Amino acid sequence: MGLLRLLLPAALLAAASPLAWAFYLPGLAPVNFCDDKTAHGDCKSGIELFVNRLDSVESVLPYEYAVFDFCQTSGEKRPSENLGQVLFGERIEPSPYKFTFKAPETCKSVCKKTYHLNVPEEKQKLEFLKKSMLLNYQHHWIVDNMPVTWCYEVEDNQKFCNPGFPIGCYITKDAKPKDACVINEFREPDTFYIFNHVDITISYHNVENEQSGSRLVAAKLEPKSYKHTNVDHPDCSGPPMDISNMATSGDVQIAYTYSVKFEENREIRWASRWDYILESMPHTRIQWFSIMNSLVIVLFLSGMVAMIMLRTLHKDIARYNQMDSTEDAQEEFGWKLVHGDIFRPPRKGMLLSVFLGSGTQILIMTFVTLFFACLGFLSPANRGALMTCAVVLWVLLGTPAGYVAARFYKSFGGEKWKTNVLLTAFLCPGVVFADFFIMNLILWGEGSSAAIPFGTLVAVLALWFCISVPLTFIGAYFGFKKNAIEHPVRTNQIPRQIPEQSFYTKPLPGIIMGGILPFGCIFIQLFFIQNSIWSHQTYYMFGFLFLVFIILVITCSEATILLCYFHLCAEDYHWQWRSFLTSGFTAVYFLIYAIHYFFSKLQITGTASTILYFGYTMIMVLIFFLFTGTIGFFACFWFVTKIYSVVKVD
């Protein structure tokens, strides 16, 4: 289903480009609503509210709505979820909150929950609810595929629209309000306040063409707490619904209610209905100036690197060729000296070729995914599409991985082709899957909704073993069948001795320096990506991300080429591993940044959440290491082949 959702728009675009304005992404077409009297086939009157998993910024563990003892609906079918939604732990289910278009409701009862504190099972349910309020777990409700938002004022009279709202809040023993209690007038110490009532406002926009009906453009709510005077017939009056932390006996009764009203909005169009959420988010109101500043700095550095390379190399090549033409007996110097050793196979060539194969797979996958995201196919409204696209592409790109690994392994003089193919197919994906499986066991043990169901795990393994592995074998077959890569210069039989190196041309300082420049141009975007993953904020700046991706590729290439040139001038010809590790070291800076982000920006508590954070971070670091390292190697390989092909060698 997820693959279909991704391929269908592309097919439609290719087949009917003149009609491109007329189609919508599958599952994202507008729905028309009418009131009860005028409802017909194309115009519904019933509005369904769906509930998603609940999550918290203080915990990495999301939980399904059904785990909490809220009002449930029985007998209704859950909407189908694509692979990306399941992998991200999204669990959308129907709810008992049902509305009729243009039919307002006031203080309508949904259900009543009673907890007898002397019954262990019921007390445990209430304790889980209290713990969730303490960790500030948030509801995520969906109406017409759009998040129901809670909008409130923050500093400087700015409005912030949160695509979730809290279960409740807590006043500490010393009467300090936590989280949402700060906004409300709750004062009782060591007490929990549950938001058992919501005032929902649904905004709609009338369709202006010949079609009848209206389209929903916003859904906002305000959570409230009421200790209803009559629980069986609630009237939304009375003091807030408090649950004392000291209570050990008696009953706790919670009545869940809602009010809904409908407002016409002529300003917001259906196509731009997400804008008010995205514009108000903290941290996403990114300073355009700072992004442009980074771009200018990076482009300036790139220009400097390119100019130095072109001018210096041009002089070198001219000098070397002039020496040959004048038959100067003077001894060779500089990078020309190592021409007989420059293409000597590296140590651990098997491992390097496997890394290059996996890196190529990740590089193409990232490029295509970001390209689709820029076209709008993978917008936040198309839930799970980004992850589905990435996984499907990774599976289908086994052939380039096998081909690249085989070609380079053969050029390194390797003969254990079976080992090479197996390692390409299983080493890096196996490490990622093993880490992912351990994280999944922790999530499963904690009862979290982010735990991947056994069926999905089998499906992912089937994609890997039945599609990716055979495609890798096919790629490797064609890679080994082709002749080895022809080098412009012959390799001497006896290796040349490398002279004593200065501090700057030693391998480690060069590798450490090489990663600084690429990291410098991505760290701003890293902040937003980390926020979207761990602080549950919507990421939508794919245009910027694609631009930063291109800049990263250019910067990794140029930084590696520059350092490679300095090492060759110092007569050190071991460039293969060094070029891979120079740009790959950007991943180490990413890891350091992730550790800094954990301690400075997140309020995550609990051992399981901490292990999960660093477990998932290690997967990202490995993928980033292979991705950047491959860019560096290919850039350096192209550079070395180019300069030694234009110099006359006796």
Side-chain angles (χ1 to χ4, degrees), residues 88-100:
F88 265 133
E90 285 201 14
R91 302 289 181 270
I92 298 170
E93 9 182 326
S95 78
Y97 295 86
K98 311 282 182 206
F99 318 127
T100 304

Side-chain angles (χ1 to χ4, degrees), residues 373-410:
C374 280
L375 293 177
F377 290 135
L378 313 178
S379 74
N382 200 356
R383 296 168 199 282
L386 189 76
M387 191 68 172
T388 307
C389 178
V391 171
V392 168
L393 280 170
W394 179 84
V395 166
L396 296 176
L397 288 166
T399 307
Y403 181 80
V404 168
R407 285 283 279 157
F408 277 102
Y409 183 62
K410 193 172 182 180

Side-chain angles (χ1 to χ4, degrees), residues 14 32-33 87 129 147 210:
N32 291 342
F33 291 93
L87 291 177
L129 211 54
E210 64 278 0

